[in-house]
Amino acid sequence: MGLDIGFYRDGEEVFYLRNHDDFFEALANGSGGNVYEDYSDFYVTLDTLAVVEGMIEDGFIDCGLSPDEALTDIPDAFHGLDARGTEWKELLRYYPAIVAFLAEDISANGPLICGWSA
């Protein structure tokens, strides 16, 4: 069983992650509130991403990564990556590019909705 995480606007998927449990936990902790009462989908705002950035910064420090080791683009290889079979240190390097992508979209178009299933 996996954790599927989708980011949506107007019913259209903007980005998708699978099995990125720690990234999802940071998103949920910074949630912009539930979309509907008694429903688990939540808003992803710039404030949400600030919480995720804090998790990334702490992770970089804990793993001994320098900021210049962060990826600035999301490579094609990321989409086929099995997050549960990849070291945390390696996953962290991708997350700044994902946060930047989501932040750019949110800045231009407003909050996203994070829908998930386990």
Side-chain angles (χ1 to χ4, degrees):
M1 179 173 276
L3 175 65
D4 295 326
I5 309 162
F7 299 90
Y8 301 90
R9 175 169 297 99
D10 300 327
E12 296 290 323
E13 188 173 83
V14 174
F15 195 74
Y16 175 85
L17 295 167
R18 182 169 176 84
N19 297 327
H20 290 262
D21 300 347
D22 293 319
F23 189 87
F24 175 76
E25 184 176 324
L27 285 167
N29 288 340
S31 166
N34 285 2
V35 177
Y36 303 107
E37 189 175 330
D38 299 326
Y39 201 66
S40 60
D41 291 356
F42 57 86
Y43 288 105
V44 177
T45 65
L46 294 177
D47 289 340
T48 306
L49 296 181
V51 172
V52 176
E53 286 175 331
M55 178 270 302
I56 293 168
E57 289 171 7
D58 291 346
F60 266 59
I61 291 167
D62 292 346
C63 291
L65 292 169
S66 66
D68 64 334
E69 292 180 83
L71 299 176
T72 56
D73 292 315
I74 304 169
D76 289 338
F78 172 79
H79 300 287
L81 183 72
D82 179 356
R84 291 188 175 165
T86 305
E87 288 186 40
W88 177 237
K89 184 175 184 177
E90 183 63 24
L91 290 174
L92 277 169
R93 296 182 64 239
Y94 289 96
Y95 293 153
I98 294 168
V99 168
F101 170 80
L102 295 173
E104 183 178 321
D105 186 270
I106 290 168
S107 292
N109 303 301
L112 289 164
I113 294 174
C114 181
W116 62 276
S117 63

